[in-house]
Amino acid sequence: MDKNVSPVVVRRMPRYYRHLCELHDKNIDRISSSALAERMSLTASQVRQDFNCFGGFGQQGYGYNVTDLKAAIAEILCITGERKAILCGAGNLARALMSNFNFTKCGVSLVAAFDSNPSLFDVEMFGVPVHSISTVEQYVSAHSPDIAILTLPKSDAHKVANILVKCGVKGIWNFTGTDLELDDPGIPIENVHFSESLMVLSYQIDR
Amino acid sequence: MDKNVSPVVVRRMPRYYRHLCELHDKNIDRISSSALAERMSLTASQVRQDFNCFGGFGQQGYGYNVTDLKAAIAEILCITGERKAILCGAGNLARALMSNFNFTKCGVSLVAAFDSNPSLFDVEMFGVPVHSISTVEQYVSAHSPDIAILTLPKSDAHKVANILVKCGVKGIWNFTGTDLELDDPGIPIENVHFSESLMVLSYQIDR
DNA sequence: TAGATTGTTAATCGATTAACAATC
DNA sequence: TAGATTGTTAATCGATTAACAATC
């Protein structure tokens, strides 16, 4: 178990987690695969198959304990172990993430941001210190953040990404709108491609 | 053709489009399915199958004409027909989209933004007029935008979304981090769930 | 105990890959 | 014409669904 879980299953795990959090907040402490499936527009079989990729979390005749299942998924997704992240690029998108996005809920703490605009150096933005992008290499080597968030222009994406990976960053959250080709192909990359999302919506309209 | 194309194929179309744009910019006017596949980490069969969901765009012994194929995909994704969009919520994320994101490239023009903060009313942000969210119903009825972009708090998402759809909005680009349940289930929704994306990245690290 | 619901195996469905005749 | 590469059909692979014995 755990190893070689298919990508489609992995991608459903955060959604399960979100729904379990909602149930937890409503003080619901038990749910069956069929009730959860209904809620999430899946099938009960799918729900049980998915969870059984990671182990048996349920109990026959009863269903799943919400608190336990939520904790088990948190463990699987590593939401428990505090991970450190840095922002590369401190423009509007970076600010949007700093101000609105709940990193803590994802088990991530934002430790620094980097930009090329000198007027931002050594300022704090939403409690996060901003430094010169020219110092990022040194910073990463010294502080070993796990995740780099790329919110900088496409043109700088490849160069910066490869520097970061060379210094030991373990994963890249990519908002640059381009597909990165890293020197080290083993580093996971998660792309958030706004334009692809909008184009799919555009396709679906009038169909 | 065109009708009943599987979602996985639809989701690849914007990526094809992006790569064809890149090829076009490099003045490459011809590409084979195998070269395009290599570039995009797909297989040549997949590329040909995908395009043939929409029609025969290639030529035996030659491959695909980049300009023609790009135009054909633009047509399929409705990037050609100018669509109007409004922003609901004019916070940091909305500003990030207004300032960084190339709506035009997606065939969309941003015509207005709406917020509940009075200090923003009747201001222009990055060339986009901001109005009171209480007037959005009236605005949508009068101007018939195609797409509503939800960049407002989770708590307001459902209420606002249902109002918009009732007034004729044709699609919703959802950044609220919640799964919308619309009264009208026929309206397409595209979710951009940051936390799911970050959690998937977190899972992939150390595996 | 009887009812409910899991974990798991088998059947079905859909997507990807392979193969090749058609043809530019 | 010969070589290249498509469009399309058939084979394989993987994911979803159905079924049911195990068991709480």
Side-chain angles (χ1 to χ4, degrees):
Chain A
M1 318 236 187
D2 213 336
K3 201 70 190 150
N4 283 38
V5 175
S6 96
V8 309
V9 175
V10 172
R11 237 151 243 293
R12 277 195 292 267
M13 298 312 284
R15 250 187 102 216
Y16 287 124
Y17 185 74
R18 181 154 47 82
H19 282 265
L20 288 162
C21 288
E22 286 169 18
L23 291 165
H24 188 76
D25 291 347
K26 286 186 193 162
N27 293 310
I28 294 166
D29 61 351
R30 174 190 155 182
I31 192 152
S32 66
S33 56
S34 54
L36 187 55
E38 158 111 68
R39 203 188 148 89
M40 295 177 63
S41 307
L42 301 170
T43 67
S45 285
Q46 208 170 16
V47 169
R48 295 202 297 279
Q49 293 271 31
D50 285 355
F51 292 156
N52 287 5
C53 293
F54 300 98
F57 303 126
Q59 205 171 348
Q60 277 110 327
Y62 173 85
Y64 298 86
N65 177 289
V66 171
T67 307
D68 293 352
L69 184 56
K70 176 172 172 282
I73 295 176
E75 196 68 46
I76 290 162
L77 294 172
C78 284
I79 291 172
T80 49
E82 185 88 337
R83 289 206 153 113
K84 285 185 287 184
I86 58 167
L87 272 163
C88 297
N92 283 294
L93 185 53
R95 281 169 227 194
L97 290 171
M98 287 188 260
S99 62
N100 296 322
F101 183 69
N102 193 340
F103 282 95
T104 310
K105 220 180 54 188
C106 296
V108 172
S109 77
L110 202 52
V111 293
F114 297 86
D115 203 280
S116 57
N117 180 352
S119 72
L120 301 176
F121 299 168
D122 303 313
V123 172
E124 281 218 345
M125 262 185 199
F126 304 98
V128 178
V130 183
H131 306 299
S132 167
I133 188 75
S134 67
T135 65
V136 74
E137 187 164 359
Q138 184 190 328
Y139 182 96
V140 171
S141 302
H143 297 87
S144 306
D146 306 278
I147 295 168
I149 309 169
L150 298 190
T151 49
L152 39 74
K154 262 196 211 359
S155 48
D156 303 337
H158 275 92
K159 205 188 72 185
V160 172
N162 277 314
I163 290 171
L164 296 166
V165 168
K166 209 178 55 194
C167 297
V169 156
K170 301 200 196 93
I172 291 189
W173 200 17
N174 176 34
F175 287 82
T176 64
T178 193
D179 287 341
L180 299 171
E181 297 279 347
L182 297 180
D183 299 337
D184 179 345
I187 301 293
I189 300 170
E190 258 291 306
N191 295 309
V192 181
H193 284 332
F194 292 136
S195 64
E196 293 184 10
S197 173
L198 182 54
M199 286 181 192
V200 169
L201 179 61
S202 181
Y203 173 83
Q204 287 168 342
I205 292 176
D206 311 326
R207 228 158 283 254
Chain B
M1 318 235 185
D2 212 335
K3 200 69 191 151
N4 283 39
V5 175
S6 97
V8 310
V9 175
V10 172
R11 237 153 244 293
R12 277 196 292 267
M13 297 313 284
R15 253 188 100 217
Y16 287 123
Y17 184 73
R18 182 154 46 82
H19 282 265
L20 289 162
C21 288
E22 286 169 18
L23 291 165
H24 188 75
D25 291 347
K26 286 186 194 162
N27 292 310
I28 293 165
D29 62 349
R30 174 188 156 184
I31 193 154
S32 67
S33 56
S34 55
L36 187 55
E38 159 110 69
R39 202 188 148 90
M40 296 178 60
S41 307
L42 301 170
T43 66
S45 285
Q46 209 170 13
V47 169
R48 294 202 298 276
Q49 293 270 29
D50 285 354
F51 292 156
N52 286 6
C53 294
F54 300 98
F57 302 125
Q59 206 170 344
Q60 278 111 325
Y62 173 86
Y64 299 85
N65 177 289
V66 170
T67 307
D68 293 352
L69 184 56
K70 176 172 171 281
I73 296 177
E75 196 68 46
I76 290 163
L77 294 173
C78 285
I79 291 172
T80 48
E82 184 88 337
R83 289 204 152 114
K84 286 184 288 184
I86 59 167
L87 271 163
C88 297
N92 283 294
L93 184 53
R95 281 168 228 195
L97 290 171
M98 288 188 261
S99 61
N100 295 323
F101 183 69
N102 193 341
F103 282 95
T104 310
K105 220 181 55 188
C106 295
V108 172
S109 74
L110 202 52
V111 293
F114 297 86
D115 202 280
S116 57
N117 180 351
S119 72
L120 301 177
F121 299 169
D122 304 313
V123 173
E124 281 216 346
M125 264 185 198
F126 304 98
V128 178
V130 184
H131 307 298
S132 168
I133 187 76
S134 67
T135 64
V136 73
E137 187 164 358
Q138 187 190 326
Y139 182 97
V140 172
S141 302
H143 297 88
S144 306
D146 306 277
I147 294 169
I149 308 169
L150 299 190
T151 49
L152 38 73
K154 263 194 208 4
S155 48
D156 303 335
H158 277 92
K159 205 188 71 188
V160 172
N162 277 315
I163 289 171
L164 295 167
V165 168
K166 209 178 54 194
C167 298
V169 156
K170 301 199 196 93
I172 291 189
W173 201 18
N174 177 34
F175 287 81
T176 64
T178 194
D179 287 341
L180 299 170
E181 295 282 348
L182 297 180
D183 300 338
D184 179 345
I187 300 293
I189 301 171
E190 258 292 305
N191 295 307
V192 180
H193 285 331
F194 292 136
S195 64
E196 294 184 10
S197 172
L198 182 54
M199 288 181 190
V200 169
L201 179 62
S202 181
Y203 172 84
Q204 287 167 342
I205 292 175
D206 311 325
R207 226 158 285 254

